[in-house]
Amino acid sequence: DAGVTQSPTHLIKTRGQQVTLRCSPKSGHDTVSWYQQALGQGPQFIFQYYEEEERQRGNFPDRFSGHQFPNYSSELNVNALLLGDSALYLCASSSTTKTYNEQFFGPGTRLTVL
Amino acid sequence: GQNIDQPTEMTATEGAIVQINCTYQTSGFNGLFWYQQHAGEAPTFLSYNVLDGLEEKGRFSSFLSRSKGYSYLLLKELQMKDSASYLCAVNLKSYIPTFGRGTSLIVHP
């Protein structure tokens, strides 16, 4: 059973560029959440997708957008990159059919903005 | 706002017991997660407490007191591989976990 997968593993961009990160959820999961984790910090919630719609959103600007596809996979897009966007981006999947929303995390994408 | 506090760093000796505390003040509460995160890796689930009391799972135990806004993770018979960051996360009423900054645990021989 494949767990949560993310691509790419590492990415280097320059300020002002745009980036797309991808995530495939764990088999049987229908909900995908994205988190930003700066060095030495806990993960910060960006948004959550369910049934191809953004269900909840954290305190992130509109430069951060996403999408969920019919197969439950998801993309995170960040426009007009800033140096402060450098972080580990984690995707987590969960299932609405479970009694609680245990999040299964992917290995993350390390984004460096120069 | 949400406030979740954990010590930044702790050190312990192999074979010993360590307790990592977490206090929280949040608007809404549905449960509390503990995750383990090794450097450069994804967080992995350790425990989830909804009701008050202690839940034991092998070498790891987690305690919750909802009235005090307090939880701890207890690690027994420490091993070198337990060196990692331990994240406390409160499951809000929206069922979106809000994470603390994490406690970096260093286990030395």
Side-chain angles (χ1 to χ4, degrees), chain A residues 22-76:
Chain A
R22 295 177 177 81
C23 170
S24 290
K26 181 178 168 65
S27 178
H29 284 185
D30 55 9
T31 303
V32 173
S33 302
W34 286 93
Y35 294 83
Q36 180 194 67
Q37 187 175 25
L39 205 59
Q41 305 288 321
Q44 298 295 308
F45 174 72
I46 303 174
F47 42 54
Q48 182 181 81
Y49 277 84
Y50 171 69
E51 292 189 335
E52 301 180 50
E53 290 192 359
E54 183 182 291
R55 185 161 70 170
Q56 303 222 37
R57 189 178 184 93
N59 189 26
F60 278 79
D62 292 345
R63 298 186 298 109
F64 290 76
S65 63
H67 189 77
Q68 185 178 35
F69 300 93
N71 66 354
Y72 306 118
S73 67
S74 177
E75 286 182 351
L76 163 65

Side-chain angles (χ1 to χ4, degrees), chain B residues 65-81:
Chain B
S65 168
R66 289 172 297 170
S67 62
K68 295 182 179 177
Y70 168 69
S71 173
Y72 67 73
L73 181 69
L74 192 71
L75 292 76
K76 304 175 186 175
E77 302 169 14
L78 280 173
Q79 303 175 8
M80 299 297 290
K81 67 178 182 180

Side-chain angles (χ1 to χ4, degrees), chain B residues 18-40:
Chain B
V18 71
Q19 177 175 312
I20 302 174
N21 296 325
C22 171
T23 58
Y24 61 91
Q25 291 175 305
T26 57
S27 53
F29 178 88
N30 272 320
L32 189 142
F33 292 99
W34 282 97
Y35 281 84
Q36 180 191 60
Q37 186 176 27
H38 285 99

Side-chain angles (χ1 to χ4, degrees), chain A residues 50-105:
Chain A
Y50 171 69
E51 292 189 335
E52 301 180 50
E53 290 192 359
E54 183 182 291
R55 185 161 70 170
Q56 303 222 37
R57 189 178 184 93
N59 189 26
F60 278 79
D62 292 345
R63 298 186 298 109
F64 290 76
S65 63
H67 189 77
Q68 185 178 35
F69 300 93
N71 66 354
Y72 306 118
S73 67
S74 177
E75 286 182 351
L76 163 65
N77 301 291
V78 187
N79 294 323
L81 284 167
L82 303 174
L83 295 180
D85 294 332
S86 294
L88 179 67
Y89 288 84
L90 294 165
C91 168
S93 71
S94 56
S95 171
T96 52
T97 60
K98 297 277 279 187
T99 54
Y100 66 89
N101 55 320
E102 177 186 341
Q103 309 260 304
F104 288 79
F105 285 87

